Amino acid sequence: MAIPTSRYSETATVRIDYEKCKVCGLCVKVCKGAPLYLENNKVRIDQTRYFGCIGCGHCVAVCPTGAITIEGRDISQTSFMDIPMEDTRAGYEELMALMLARRSIREFDDRDVEQEKIDRILAAASTAPMGIPPSDVEVLVINGKDKVREFSDDILELMKSQKWIFSKPTLLLLRPFMKKEEFEVVDKFVCPAIEIFEETRKENTDYLLYGAPLAMYFHVSPYADLADPFITATYAMLAAETLDLGSCMIGTIGPMLKNGGKDVKEKYGISIRNQPGIVVIFGYPAVKYRRAIRRNLAKIHYY
């Protein structure tokens, strides 16, 4: 029973070199798709067990003798590499320093982001946990201040075309069918935000994407978990911080594309059926921040 994604609907192929296999059982222990099992002191493969091979690669990653190979579901032997040595990895303090230094940047220098850094951001993003393999996360990369502004203008036009949905008369009609929280978000945030975007645009100011030189839209197919693009985007943001770039998540665009925007999706190569995701803008910060902030979680509850 292979788990389907937008790109694959069959299991991956697992092979074992029994001359190398020492029957340590580690591959069976970590295999959660469950095609691997021990029988008569031998590792067996049965793709009809549970989900079959989903291509997670855990068996290859733990095998001490390199006896296992996987092909399919967007994975092959070239997908694997040695884990970095412990002394090259960031410890807790180094990781906290990076995360405390990161701010949501909305003021950018008039500098382009080099292609090398874009490649490195995408490479880091590709290491994120992205649901059942193979990943259905797609990334739209908009490189260059003029192109980002064009995208921002197109989104604003989309917002204006949907403005009637958020008008006071329409909201009053829909109020009985909306949750209290939904109504308040639309009434107190969405409606005013669209007005602000329009007013600042008249002054040639991009209050939606802040004149950033680089934007990425992370989105997913209908098969994927809605959290996948947000996790991937977070990895991209942290990578950008290590490259002296600032970043900021923009959450207003995904929902707008979900409720319409067929022409915009077609123009930018976004699948019509894809679920909404998150936009991240990047660039060299124009302002230096000197203090970090640690926010309080809404609640921590132990059971």
Side-chain angles (χ1 to χ4, degrees), residues 56-74:
C56 71
H58 279 24
C59 58
V60 176
V62 300
C63 181
T65 62
I68 305 175
T69 58
I70 299 177
E71 296 287 340
R73 291 183 76 91
D74 201 32

Side-chain angles (χ1 to χ4, degrees), residues 11 22 47 60 64-65 76 86 116 125 130 143 152 173 188 191 209 230 248 290:
T11 60
K22 303 300 182 183
Q47 294 282 27
V60 176
T65 62
S76 68
E86 287 189 20
E116 178 189 5
M130 294 180 279
N143 185 20
S152 181
L173 288 173
K188 304 297 184 183
C191 293
L209 297 182
F230 297 88
C248 181
R290 301 185 182 278

Side-chain angles (χ1 to χ4, degrees), residues 46-214:
D46 182 357
Q47 294 282 27
T48 66
R49 285 167 51 90
Y50 299 167
F51 297 111
C53 179
I54 62 175
C56 71
H58 279 24
C59 58
V60 176
V62 300
C63 181
T65 62
I68 305 175
T69 58
I70 299 177
E71 296 287 340
R73 291 183 76 91
D74 201 32
I75 192 173
S76 68
Q77 288 308 103
T78 60
S79 305
F80 296 94
M81 63 205 75
D82 291 337
I83 290 179
M85 300 295 291
E86 287 189 20
D87 59 359
T88 67
R89 304 179 216 165
Y92 180 81
E93 296 301 330
E94 290 85 0
L95 180 60
M96 279 296 290
L98 175 70
M99 294 191 293
L100 285 171
R102 196 209 66 79
R103 302 293 304 165
S104 291
I105 302 299
R106 301 178 183 87
E107 297 81 23
F108 299 98
D109 278 347
D110 190 17
R111 297 169 57 189
D112 292 334
V113 177
E114 299 87 345
Q115 185 62 49
E116 178 189 5
K117 292 193 174 184
I118 296 174
D119 293 340
R120 296 179 78 177
I121 290 171
L122 293 171
S126 71
T127 68
M130 294 180 279
I132 299 296
S135 169
D136 269 352
V137 175
E138 300 180 27
V139 188
L140 165 66
V141 181
I142 306 173
N143 185 20
K145 189 173 182 178
D146 291 341
K147 290 182 180 179
V148 174
R149 179 60 180 263
E150 181 182 353
F151 181 64
S152 181
D153 287 342
D154 289 338
I155 296 298
L156 180 56
E157 288 302 313
L158 174 60
M159 289 180 175
K160 289 164 65 176
S161 71
Q162 298 178 0
K163 196 174 177 181
W164 65 273
I165 301 174
F166 309 112
S167 66
K168 291 291 184 181
T170 304
L171 282 178
L172 290 175
L173 288 173
L174 295 176
R175 180 64 186 91
F177 309 100
M178 299 175 69
K179 295 179 181 178
K180 174 178 178 288
E181 296 83 359
E182 292 174 341
F183 178 81
E184 289 184 348
V185 168
V186 173
D187 186 43
K188 304 297 184 183
F189 172 68
V190 177
C191 293
I194 295 175
E195 296 291 339
I196 291 170
F197 295 150
E198 285 190 77
E199 288 300 315
T200 54
R201 190 56 52 89
K202 293 175 183 178
E203 302 169 2
N204 201 34
T205 300
D206 181 5
Y207 212 72
L208 178 59
L209 297 182
Y210 301 101
L214 173 66

Side-chain angles (χ1 to χ4, degrees), residues 278-298:
I278 189 80
V279 170
V280 183
I281 54 175
F282 304 88
Y284 288 96
V287 176
K288 181 178 177 63
Y289 289 88
R290 301 185 182 278
R291 293 173 183 82
I293 182 171
R294 185 170 57 193
R295 305 183 188 280
N296 296 318
L297 299 173

Side-chain angles (χ1 to χ4, degrees), residues 19 23 26 38 50 58 67 90-91 108 125 127 143 193 222 228 230 267-268 272 286:
E19 291 186 0
V23 200
L26 286 174
L38 284 172
Y50 299 167
H58 279 24
F108 299 98
T127 68
N143 185 20
D228 290 354
F230 297 88
K267 175 177 178 178
Y268 291 95
I272 297 297

